[in-house]
Amino acid sequence: TVVSAQNFDFFYFVQQWPGSYCDTDSGCCFPLSGSPGAQFGIHGLWPNYNDGGYPSDCGGDSFDPKVLSDVLVDMNREWGSLACPSSNSESFWSHEWTKHGTCSGFSQNAYFKAALNLYNQYDLTGGLAAAGINPDGSQYNVEDIRNAMQSVLGQLPGIQCNKDQSGNLQLYQVYVCVATDGQTVIQCPVFPNNECKGSVEFPVYQSNSAASSD
Ligand code: 5GP
Ligand code: 5GP
Ligand code: 5GP
């Protein structure tokens, strides 16, 4: 098959802190495959332009889990959906493929594999722990968080916060910039415009607690 030339500048490889997804007003529900561990999980691998814009829904093959049989075990472990109600995560993966993956120039199998390879190569949760930054519900400076991740990645990531049920800003997502090869971490040409600054909470995540949702 002919794969068209990439029509974007770089990828954001986006990971989410499950504790910060779960302790919002919307709550969360654990995937049917089992709850994720107390570590960052994958949200997506998103083609992006240097000016901050991005392509989406580029057409082509629709999502097909049959071509993913060799990566489904890892996808369930690292890329589970925390949205309610609990699911087998396929609607999350389908959304990520349809909106972002179809613009990557990769086959479906190569797209998910590229994200999993990036995930397994850079242990952001461990990098924070090595710097004494732990999900203990206390406050950490965003620049300390970014610097700890830089020592794992070689480059500074972007950090996005959300709010817990009391309105406190907390560490939610990490944006790692990756070349169009889907493998090489690069300096971010542009950071997401919803960055957070100052001190933010790093909430506890209990992977064995009951899923909460109202
Ligand atoms: P939100 O508005 O919740 O930040 O983002 C909603 C969705 O828009 C994300 O899940 C993602 O699909 C897309 N999105 C948001 N910001 C960016 C961005 O900077 N780059 C890309 N490629 N997609 C984004
Ligand atoms: P985006 O468009 O922002 O890439 O993807 C977000 C979409 O995936 C939303 O429709 C959201 O409800 C759904 N989704 C399902 N599971 C998850 C999850 O675990 N985390 C996030 N951030 N979105 C999820
Ligand atoms: P989507 O369009 O992406 O379904 O969801 C819109 C926004 O609501 C996204 O920021 C997504 O992360 C969030 N969202 C959707 N479903 C849930 C949920 O079950 N729990 C939480 N905490 N957020 C959700």
Side-chain angles (χ1 to χ4, degrees):
T1 51
V2 177
V3 174
S4 56
Q6 283 105 14
N7 178 23
F8 63 98
D9 298 316
F10 69 98
F11 286 107
Y12 280 132
F13 176 50
V14 182
Q15 298 181 44
Q16 60 182 358
W17 178 249
S20 300
Y21 189 88
C22 289
D23 75 359
T24 58
D25 281 332
S26 327
C28 72
C29 293
F30 292 148
L32 294 171
S33 59
S35 79
Q39 56 199 29
F40 283 88
I42 301 175
H43 181 161
L45 183 63
W46 302 345
N48 221 81
Y49 299 124
N50 286 342
D51 70 1
Y54 60 92
S56 67
D57 299 286
C58 296
D61 295 350
S62 53
F63 180 74
D64 179 7
K66 285 197 291 296
V67 304
L68 299 172
S69 50
D70 62 330
V71 289
L72 280 176
V73 169
D74 286 341
M75 287 173 65
N76 276 312
R77 186 164 42 225
E78 329 290 12
W79 207 329
S81 170
L82 289 167
C84 293
S86 289
S87 75
N88 63 5
S89 303
E90 283 185 10
S91 62
F92 185 30
W93 301 334
S94 175
H95 171 87
E96 293 301 309
W97 166 253
T98 303
K99 180 170 180 177
H100 301 285
T102 56
C103 303
S104 68
F106 293 166
S107 72
Q108 221 164 126
N109 185 281
Y111 174 75
F112 288 98
K113 215 170 260 175
L116 290 166
N117 284 342
L118 285 165
Y119 182 86
N120 288 318
Q121 206 170 335
Y122 301 101
D123 177 7
L124 297 183
T125 316
L128 290 180
I133 299 173
N134 296 300
D136 55 8
S138 62
Q139 302 277 322
Y140 295 95
N141 191 283
V142 173
E143 291 314 309
D144 293 340
I145 292 171
R146 295 176 78 210
N147 288 332
M149 292 183 176
Q150 182 181 32
S151 56
V152 171
L153 297 164
Q155 301 288 348
L156 283 173
I159 301 291
Q160 183 184 19
C161 290
N162 68 355
K163 287 181 179 173
D164 70 13
Q165 285 170 303
S166 311
N168 302 309
L169 270 187
Q170 56 185 2
L171 172 59
Y172 173 43
Q173 297 200 117
V174 181
Y175 287 62
V176 177
C177 295
V178 176
T180 55
D181 64 5
Q183 304 180 50
T184 312
V185 173
I186 58 167
Q187 189 177 334
C188 283
V190 58
F191 286 107
N193 56 14
N194 44 15
E195 289 232 289
C196 46
K197 306 222 171 350
S199 282
V200 300
E201 186 185 351
F202 190 6
V204 173
Y205 173 66
Q206 278 172 340
S207 54
N208 57 357
S209 68
S212 64
S213 174
D214 47 7

